[in-house]
Amino acid sequence: MNILGIETSCDETAASVVTDGVKVRSNVIATSLKDHQRFGGIIPEIASRRQIEFIHWVVAESLDKAQMTLNGIDAIAVTRAPGLLGSLLVGLSFARGLSHSTGKPLIEIDHIKAHLYANYLQLSKEFSACPLSRLPAIGLVVSGGHSSLYYVKDFKNFKLLGVTRDDAAGEAFDKVARILELGYPGGPVIDRLSGQGINDDIKFPRSPMKGSYDFSFSGTKTAVLYYTQKNKNKLDYSPAKVAYSFQESVVAVLVEKSLLACRKFKVNTLLIGGGVAANSALRRELQKQAPSQGVDVFFPPMVLCLDNAAMIAGLAYHWYNKF
Ligand code: KG4
Ligand code: ZN
């Protein structure tokens, strides 16, 4: 079964063809990121205008790359929520129009759950994805807009255990990068810079939110702001050290809560998804700590950590049977 996926929830315009829920035949992503960079964040109006320009080309290219035409497509999948309204509307309207005109079924998918599903996608022969049989699982989605922890019973049953009470993890990375004047998006640059700032002297508060699976990152971010304001004119001030200590604080909480959920729910599969899943410290820490607790941790390949349509088409396969 071939599903054409379409994703336009934020600044990416993406389309993909996925076979039988796992085999990625094409994964085309156009981004308007450069148009937003000088503003230090995504401007919704710019994002959706660019998506109107990109959408036709991206869908045609994804069919081309999969060496298919619409005739070979069994169903169309699209991101329904969450996301920027104008951006979602571009993908939804296009997908609904395509479904109506071709008579092919339309499956509308939740973007956050799809981020976790990215772990099950087979991008190439060399990459070993999480086997579909590894359920139930605990899933951590950490992106620019979300930090959520789920109990994944199966691909239609996701129980939300906790969310962020303020900033999303990626949002905190982006805001700290702005404080340190490192540009946008902040995650990749803080990740790189941290390698040069390993230290034991700067400690930022961690907000463990005891007794809950919820997260809170704004206290850590504000501590970075105050530290920077106080110290930036001192001779030994190092943005790399600040970046490292901030990253350590965020990663420690993400690792602790994810593994706690695995223990509590007696689950030995941990799925990570979303843009922050690309973070090298998060990967390193989880790979270090999870095995000793009998947990196997999975990360999607880098290109499937960020917003993409393969995860939408893949998850849709498991919802298709309902029709
Ligand atoms: O999932 P995504 O592409 O878009 C949203 O749905 O938000 O995630 C983008 C977010 C940004 O906040 C970006 O700073 C963060 O993911 N990010 C990272 C890294 N790469 C991207 N955060 C930490 N470390 C990284 N290596
Ligand atoms: Zn996302």
Side-chain angles (χ1 to χ4, degrees), residues 251-318:
V251 165
V253 174
L254 295 175
V255 170
E256 190 189 313
K257 299 248 163 171
S258 307
L259 292 177
L260 175 70
C262 290
R263 282 197 302 276
K264 282 271 150 79
F265 287 85
K266 298 189 173 37
V267 160
N268 65 3
T269 305
L270 176 58
L271 311 169
I272 314 292
V276 184
N279 185 268
S280 59
L282 180 64
R283 287 175 177 246
R284 204 174 41 241
E285 266 319 297
L286 278 171
Q287 268 146 6
K288 198 165 98 191
Q289 294 189 34
S292 64
Q293 307 198 19
V295 173
D296 293 324
V297 55
F298 293 87
F299 292 89
M302 289 291 185
V303 66
L304 298 180
C305 286
L306 302 174
D307 288 349
N308 66 86
M311 64 187 194
I312 305 297
L315 181 57
Y317 172 79
H318 302 275

Side-chain angles (χ1 to χ4, degrees), residues 17-323:
V17 178
V18 174
T19 301
D20 295 338
V22 285
K23 190 169 183 293
V24 181
R25 306 275 298 266
S26 64
N27 183 39
V28 179
I29 305 173
T31 174
S32 58
L33 190 64
K34 281 206 162 59
D35 300 327
H36 307 275
Q37 262 161 344
R38 68 195 165 102
F39 301 104
I42 301 296
I43 307 295
E45 177 76 13
I46 296 177
S48 46
R49 281 177 192 272
R50 299 292 280 152
Q51 282 160 329
I52 291 171
E53 294 163 21
F54 288 148
I55 186 90
H56 234 108
W57 177 83
V58 165
V59 170
E61 186 73 4
S62 74
L63 289 169
D64 237 39
K65 287 237 160 83
Q67 297 180 313
M68 290 178 77
T69 64
L70 269 178
N71 288 337
I73 296 295
D74 297 291
I76 297 156
V78 65
T79 304
R80 183 184 51 211
L84 304 171
L85 183 62
S87 294
L88 289 167
L89 274 171
V90 176
L92 268 169
S93 316
F94 191 92
R96 284 178 182 171
L98 200 58
S99 161
H100 192 69
S101 61
T102 57
K104 294 180 196 291
L106 180 70
I107 307 152
E108 299 185 359
I109 291 293
D110 181 290
H111 178 87
I112 315 272
K113 294 169 186 166
H115 265 305
L116 291 177
Y117 188 79
N119 284 286
Y120 294 90
L121 292 171
Q122 193 65 54
L123 194 59
S124 65
K125 285 206 181 80
E126 298 73 47
F127 180 78
S128 55
C130 182
L132 286 175
S133 57
R134 289 206 67 140
L135 284 167
I138 292 295
L140 172 73
V141 186
V142 268
S143 71
H146 311 276
S147 301
S148 312
L149 200 59
Y150 283 94
Y151 174 76
V152 186
K153 186 161 178 265
D154 58 49
F155 298 122
K156 288 183 196 156
N157 287 296
F158 292 69
K159 182 180 181 323
L160 186 63
L161 303 177
V163 289
T164 179
R165 299 214 183 153
D166 38 58
D167 291 342
E171 187 182 358
F173 270 93
D174 294 336
K175 288 178 175 170
V176 163
R178 199 181 306 169
I179 295 168
L180 301 179
E181 297 174 18
L182 299 173
Y184 178 84
V189 55
I190 288 187
D191 193 355
R192 270 198 309 278
L193 194 62
S194 292
Q196 302 159 29
I198 301 170
N199 75 93
D200 245 342
D201 354 314
I202 310 172
K203 298 266 185 244
F204 293 121
R206 296 166 187 184
S207 186
M209 315 276 294
K210 284 227 175 309
S212 150
Y213 290 109
D214 284 350
F215 303 99
S216 166
F217 299 111
S218 78
T220 312
K221 174 198 68 188
T222 307
V224 173
L225 176 67
Y226 290 157
Y227 178 90
T228 307
Q229 284 171 343
K230 197 167 152 211
N231 295 288
K232 72 173 171 197
N233 295 322
K234 294 191 179 155
L235 273 180
D236 61 349
Y237 170 73
S238 154
K241 282 186 171 183
V242 176
Y244 171 84
S245 299
F246 161 74
Q247 183 171 276
E248 285 295 289
S249 297
V250 173
V251 165
V253 174
L254 295 175
V255 170
E256 190 189 313
K257 299 248 163 171
S258 307
L259 292 177
L260 175 70
C262 290
R263 282 197 302 276
K264 282 271 150 79
F265 287 85
K266 298 189 173 37
V267 160
N268 65 3
T269 305
L270 176 58
L271 311 169
I272 314 292
V276 184
N279 185 268
S280 59
L282 180 64
R283 287 175 177 246
R284 204 174 41 241
E285 266 319 297
L286 278 171
Q287 268 146 6
K288 198 165 98 191
Q289 294 189 34
S292 64
Q293 307 198 19
V295 173
D296 293 324
V297 55
F298 293 87
F299 292 89
M302 289 291 185
V303 66
L304 298 180
C305 286
L306 302 174
D307 288 349
N308 66 86
M311 64 187 194
I312 305 297
L315 181 57
Y317 172 79
H318 302 275
W319 286 79
Y320 181 83
N321 302 338
K322 279 176 88 178
F323 291 92

